[in-house]
Each structure stands twice: as C-alpha cells, then as structure tokens.
Amino acid sequence: MGVQLTFDHAVHFVNKPEQAPEELAGLGIHTVNGGRHESVGTYNALTYFDLRYIEWIGIFDPKLLPPHQDTQRYGLVDTLAGDGYVEGLSRIALRTEQIDELAEQLAAEGNQVIGPVDCSRRRPDGKLLEWKLLFAGLPDEGLPLPFFIQWNDSDEDRRAELTANGTITDHARGPITLDYVAFTVRDLGKTVGRWTKWLHLEAGEAVYDDYWKGKKQVIFLGTFQLVFLEPDQEGPAREYLQSRGERPFLVGLNSGQEGSPEQYVNIHGSFYHLK
C-alpha cells in the first residue's frame, strides 16, 4: 500500500485570469478571483467543484518570474516556463496528508525528489493560505508527474470556509462534478506503467477511443480518473500532442442532470467535456 492520494486541482495557464469568472459564467460555471503568489509573479482565478478545482493561473509581474534555468526542478513554474507560458492545461496536483512519506516513496522508486517546500498565497480578503508542495520526476520524462500538495487546514475546515465565502457554491449549470483529466502521451504503456508503479495506483485495461482516435487507459484515484491517450490518427488529440507535447489536454465536468446537453469546448487552448 502506498500513500493515500486524492485529486486536488488542474492548472490551466491563461493570459488574463481575472476574465475567467465572466467567461465561464457563459457556460453556467461559477468562478472567483483567487490571489497572488507574490514571490514568483503569478495570480489566479479558481473554479471549485467541492474540493476539486481548476486553477486559472497567469502572470501579474513578469519581472518576478524566475529565469527558466532557476525555476524549481519539476515544479509548476518550471513547466510553465518550459511551455513558453502558452495558454492551456499544464499540470495537475494530487493532495495528501502524508507528504513526507510520499517523498520517501517516490525517492525509493528512483525519482529525483524536491521538497516538501513551504508555500503561501494571500487571498483578496487578506487571509494567508499555507501549504506544502512536493515535486518529483526524471530528466527523460515526457509527461511530468503530478506535483503534490498538503494543505495546512483540514478538508472539513477548507470546505466550510470556502463555502462560507462563496468560492464553493452552486453552479448555474447544475451540481457539477470534476470527474477526470485526460493526457496526451507518446507511449501509453510506459507512462501508465511508471505512474502506477511510482504512485502505487491501479489501472484499467487499455481500450480504443473512437472519438479521440487513439489507445486509452485509465488510472483510478478513488472515484476520480486519470485518463491517458496515445493518439494514432489525425485529429484534435494528435494535433494537441504535436503542438503541446505530453500534457493534460481535457477536463471532464458532469452536471449530473439527465438530458443535459453534452459538448466539447475549447477554452484557452485546451478541451473541456461538459455534460
């Protein structure tokens, strides 16, 4: 048995996070402005589905961004810088309450491990949020591993506070859940094999996805799914792989309402499956 992991959030780089609340309201999705990461020059907006969320991250001061060669190895800013700060999904974060044990687990599997490191962000209402981050990977890795977060506050306290301040609330589209994130990969077997081994998770059988035109395999994270797609025909997934490389390319959102219209929407460079 490995360390218990839970999906925390997906990171989507956008040029102007402050525009996200109005843009997403047009899709019936509630979003709020977040705050600033003062030390690295980034800021965000946030879309919550209970405690799972999407972070729409951007840059408020390019002068504060560390040069790419000085970014935290395997960290989020390292990935954003390597991508040239192009709009689109970038990374995912998994939550744990055993971050020190997780560092040992990942190191034992042969990964380079950095952290845990202490982090913080000040919300617009002045509250200081604090957490720890852990980064890990290998230099030849195509798809970056998730980064890992341990919040200082408990899930129960965070849910209560986020509900009280209106960050977690009803969406006009319905009681939406964030069900999965999908990634484009070049070698399905290699990637799924590494992630299941390193994170001590289980995977389903590989199948063919007719819509996205490629082999697909799912890693299960409780009720959440990490979906990996190796496209083998021309189409949006292969084009994404060619332009962005091995990255998250799709987020699945489910309103839970029978008969709700199903659609794939391109939002700032990546796809969202709405149903």
Side-chain angles (χ1 to χ4, degrees):
M1 285 289 293
V3 168
Q4 181 68 38
L5 297 169
T6 305
F7 181 82
D8 195 71
H9 68 281
V11 181
H12 189 134
F13 184 80
V14 292
N15 293 327
K16 294 185 179 298
E18 67 273 19
Q19 295 179 357
E22 183 176 353
E23 291 177 358
L24 292 164
L27 294 170
I29 297 172
H30 173 74
T31 301
V32 299
N33 288 313
R36 294 186 170 196
H37 310 101
E38 298 287 355
S39 62
V40 293
T42 60
Y43 69 125
N44 61 24
L46 304 166
T47 305
Y48 269 82
F49 313 93
D50 192 38
L51 288 182
R52 298 173 185 170
Y53 69 99
I54 300 165
E55 177 183 18
W56 310 91
I57 194 169
I59 301 166
F60 72 83
D61 189 346
K63 297 189 296 295
L64 294 176
L65 288 171
H68 188 192
Q69 65 272 19
D70 295 335
T71 56
Q72 190 80 63
R73 190 72 175 103
Y74 309 116
L76 174 60
V77 177
D78 182 62
T79 303
L80 295 174
D83 289 345
Y85 298 102
V86 173
E87 288 194 314
L89 287 163
S90 174
R91 294 283 292 277
I92 66 166
L94 303 184
R95 185 165 73 253
T96 183
E97 295 180 358
Q98 303 165 280
I99 202 162
D100 293 313
E101 293 92 331
L102 180 59
E104 295 174 1
Q105 174 181 307
L106 291 166
E109 296 289 355
N111 288 279
Q112 297 177 3
V113 175
I114 298 170
V117 296
D118 293 319
C119 301
S120 64
R121 170 176 67 82
R122 192 167 297 280
R123 282 196 326 221
D125 63 8
K127 177 179 172 63
L128 184 67
L129 303 178
E130 297 179 290
W131 62 91
K132 295 179 185 295
L133 290 181
L134 177 69
F135 311 110
L138 293 176
D140 68 342
E141 200 170 24
L143 177 67
L145 271 175
F147 60 98
F148 306 93
I149 187 166
Q150 179 171 302
W151 294 96
N152 281 19
D153 296 331
S154 70
D155 286 357
E156 293 76 13
D157 287 347
R158 290 178 57 238
R159 181 182 289 109
E161 185 171 5
L162 291 166
T163 301
N165 68 26
T167 300
I168 295 177
T169 191
D170 294 335
H171 296 273
R173 192 179 184 90
I176 306 173
T177 57
L178 200 171
D179 289 348
Y180 72 87
V181 173
F183 310 80
T184 50
V185 298
R186 294 189 172 89
D187 189 328
L188 183 69
K190 178 181 178 181
T191 303
V192 172
R194 282 183 165 185
W195 282 43
T196 53
K197 181 176 184 290
W198 294 345
L199 302 179
H200 295 194
L201 297 172
E202 298 294 328
E205 296 296 322
V207 297
Y208 196 83
D209 189 305
D210 291 320
Y211 185 90
W212 293 106
K213 298 181 171 57
K215 291 186 296 181
K216 177 178 74 174
Q217 196 166 6
V218 173
I219 292 177
F220 300 98
L221 198 65
T223 61
F224 192 85
Q225 295 186 353
L226 304 174
V227 182
F228 301 83
L229 184 87
E230 181 186 332
D232 61 7
Q233 297 183 53
E234 291 303 320
R238 175 176 274 189
E239 291 170 7
Y240 195 94
L241 180 61
Q242 292 170 342
S243 63
R244 293 293 308 277
E246 296 184 279
R247 290 289 183 272
F249 82 104
L250 171 67
V251 170
L253 303 176
N254 187 349
S255 70
Q257 297 185 343
E258 199 69 35
S260 179
E262 185 173 355
Q263 60 187 140
Y264 289 94
V265 180
N266 190 317
I267 301 177
H268 291 283
S270 294
F271 297 99
Y272 287 77
H273 182 195
L274 308 177
K275 61 180 181 178

